[in-house]
Amino acid sequence: MSPPPDKSRLRERVLAELRSAYSAQVGAANLARDEAISEESKPENKYDTHSIEAGYLAEGQARQAAELEASIQAIASLPVSHSSSDAPVTLGAVVEVRDDRGALSRFYVCPKGGGMEVQVDGQTFLVITPASPIGRLMIGRRVGDPVQLPGRRPANAARIVAVG
């Protein structure tokens, strides 16, 4: 088994990815807003909807930026706890799962930001949330408990091998 990752570094890596995505999203929202209000976007006739479409795009991108900002705040406030190996899977836990073929999967349970993959110390972690299908399978489980990962056949049964 590999050494457990430094959770502070793992959390900071997740936050760095989210901050980068937030910055890009804010830039895209500003560009779309500028396009919606530019002189060139004024309708030429009653059927010209370019400025309306650009406005909808800007609104959607601003909403995505706000969701990213909420994710950043939620993860930044997540305490970095160092739980014992017999603790159940909870928010902030790092979970390792090994299937019957020996494949190892690593997960980091966060309140938001699910689906993102990050690398720390040469290890890849999938960020999951308690509301995600994998998260619902993991929360409350302990080392040794079986889990059926989505998308895998039952023949590839997996077990939690570490919780930290």
Side-chain angles (χ1 to χ4, degrees), residues 108-121:
Y108 181 41
V109 185
C110 289
K112 299 221 181 222
M116 175 188 337
E117 281 190 347
V118 295
Q119 288 200 344
V120 175
D121 300 329

Side-chain angles (χ1 to χ4, degrees), residues 86-159:
D86 65 338
V89 175
T90 60
L91 269 178
V94 173
V95 184
E96 290 187 348
V97 175
R98 187 173 304 278
D99 69 18
D100 64 353
R101 296 176 301 188
L104 184 66
S105 300
R106 294 180 181 93
F107 303 94
Y108 181 41
V109 185
C110 289
K112 299 221 181 222
M116 175 188 337
E117 281 190 347
V118 295
Q119 288 200 344
V120 175
D121 300 329
Q123 300 175 357
T124 301
F125 296 85
L126 176 63
V127 177
I128 60 172
T129 66
S132 69
I134 296 174
R136 286 192 303 267
L137 289 171
M138 300 270 185
I139 294 294
R141 301 276 177 105
R142 297 176 185 275
V143 171
D145 285 351
V147 291
Q148 178 59 47
L149 297 176
R152 303 235 178 126
R153 295 186 322 225
N156 295 333
R159 291 205 177 275

Side-chain angles (χ1 to χ4, degrees), residues 20-53:
S20 175
Y22 172 76
S23 178
Q25 195 62 49
V26 167
N30 287 337
L31 283 173
R33 179 187 47 91
D34 291 347
E35 174 69 20
I37 62 174
S38 77
E39 188 67 32
E40 295 171 359
S41 291
K42 287 193 174 180
E44 295 177 6
N45 58 50
K46 67 180 185 177
Y47 301 107
D48 187 355
T49 61
H50 179 76
S51 65
I52 293 171
E53 292 166 358

